[in-house]
Amino acid sequence: QICLSLVKLLFYLAHSPLGSIALLDFQPRQFVMVDGNLKVTDMDDASTEELSCKEDNDCTLDFPTKSFPLKCSVVGKCEGINEKKNLFNAYRYFFTYLLPHSAPPALRPLLSDILNATGDLRYGINETLRAFEEVLHLYKSGLYLQKRPLLLKDYISLKGFRTVEGEDYKCWPSYSHLGCLLSIHSAEEAAAICNSQLQCQSFIVTQHRTWTGRPLASFQSSWTDLIPDANAVVYIKRSASSGERL
């Protein structure tokens, strides 16, 4: 969410009515999340000036660990230098820390492609935004899910119930530090996640949703202490419930 919001912001800066705008003091502390969108807190160090040049050799974009040769345009400006400066700063301050983590395994190669392409400045801001939106589409639609055996049949579902909230086993990347709370596309995906975790004996699908509209599911090591909840469904492994009265 943070990276996509940042890319949308940089897309606007690259195509603003004032021209391409560079953020000269590009640091994480210069941004804040407001209602799920990344905002710049200080525009004092923004600039629409692009480096003047006479030849391509005048257009090297330098960073502490990398340098990029750019083209000198016919009007004597280094082509796209503001856009590329913003994009590489997004890569080194945000993408490298956030993109490799917490995505479903099937989407990680696509995010790795974005990471590598922006790190080498092979993508401009237009291509980067398209790539992010494609990943988001796959994520929201569930198209990233690979065909696999149907596992939900191995669970008993109880509508209108959930377990008593409390600390349970933890997983990564959980939305709660008290247990294993993950976003899912469907109960079938939740069953696959539960089967992949040795501790998991049940999971609860709630009405709570993430910014992408995906429901949240709580994975638990037991299924006792059920309490009524009209907005939840608890799924219990048949193997865990065998010999017990529900």
Side-chain angles (χ1 to χ4, degrees):
Q1 182 181 12
I2 293 172
C3 292
L4 175 62
S5 186
L6 176 59
V7 168
K8 288 180 177 179
L9 173 61
L10 297 188
F11 179 86
Y12 173 79
L13 294 179
H15 302 284
S16 83
L18 299 176
S20 182
I21 299 175
L23 300 177
L24 303 181
D25 186 19
F26 197 116
Q27 299 282 342
R29 65 173 179 267
Q30 299 282 25
F31 299 90
V32 64
M33 291 292 286
V34 180
D35 296 328
N37 295 306
L38 208 66
K39 305 285 187 180
V40 183
T41 61
D42 185 1
M43 292 293 289
D44 289 345
D45 294 309
S47 174
T48 59
E49 292 294 322
E50 293 197 308
L51 187 64
S52 298
C53 58
K54 293 182 178 179
E55 56 184 25
D56 291 349
N57 289 338
D58 297 330
C59 292
T60 300
L61 183 57
D62 289 316
F63 292 96
T65 59
K66 279 189 176 182
S67 295
F68 301 95
L70 304 180
K71 296 289 185 181
C72 182
S73 71
V74 293
V75 295
K77 298 290 183 180
C78 296
E79 287 185 356
I81 192 168
N82 286 351
E83 172 187 330
K84 294 179 186 296
K85 185 180 296 184
N86 286 342
L87 191 54
F88 190 79
N89 278 327
Y91 159 80
R92 66 178 180 144
Y93 287 120
F94 287 88
F95 298 172
T96 54
Y97 297 104
L98 300 177
L99 285 188
H101 310 292
S102 71
L107 292 179
R108 288 174 192 167
L110 298 179
L111 293 177
S112 180
D113 288 344
I114 294 175
L115 190 65
N116 293 332
T118 53
D120 294 334
L121 287 185
R122 287 185 283 110
Y123 279 2
I125 191 62
N126 296 355
E127 295 87 354
T128 303
L129 180 57
R130 280 197 297 268
F132 267 102
E133 289 179 335
E134 174 62 19
V135 173
L136 179 63
H137 171 67
L138 295 173
Y139 185 60
K140 293 174 69 172
S141 65
L143 291 173
Y144 69 91
L145 294 170
Q146 300 170 345
K147 290 185 178 180
R148 62 181 74 183
L150 298 178
L151 302 173
L152 198 59
K153 65 181 185 302
D154 298 327
Y155 289 78
I156 297 170
S157 65
L158 296 174
K159 295 182 179 180
F161 289 94
R162 63 175 174 83
T163 57
V164 176
E165 293 182 4
E167 191 166 349
D168 207 317
Y169 77 91
K170 298 174 177 60
C171 66
W172 175 259
S174 176
Y175 283 83
S176 169
H177 67 279
L178 296 177
C180 185
L181 185 66
L182 303 173
S183 76
I184 57 169
H185 177 258
S186 63
E188 187 64 54
E189 183 183 16
I193 294 173
C194 189
N195 276 25
S196 70
Q197 299 173 344
L198 293 177
Q199 306 100 313
C200 186
Q201 297 297 316
S202 66
F203 62 89
I204 303 158
V205 179
T206 70
Q207 295 296 311
H208 298 295
R209 295 180 179 270
T210 68
W211 67 281
T212 60
R214 288 163 56 99
L216 290 172
S218 176
F219 298 86
Q220 301 182 340
S221 58
S222 67
W223 55 271
T224 55
D225 300 325
L226 295 179
I227 58 174
D229 185 338
N231 297 316
V233 182
V234 60
Y235 294 83
I236 304 164
K237 280 185 178 178
R238 293 183 184 274
S239 58
S241 64
S242 60
E244 301 285 347
R245 294 182 62 188
L246 293 179

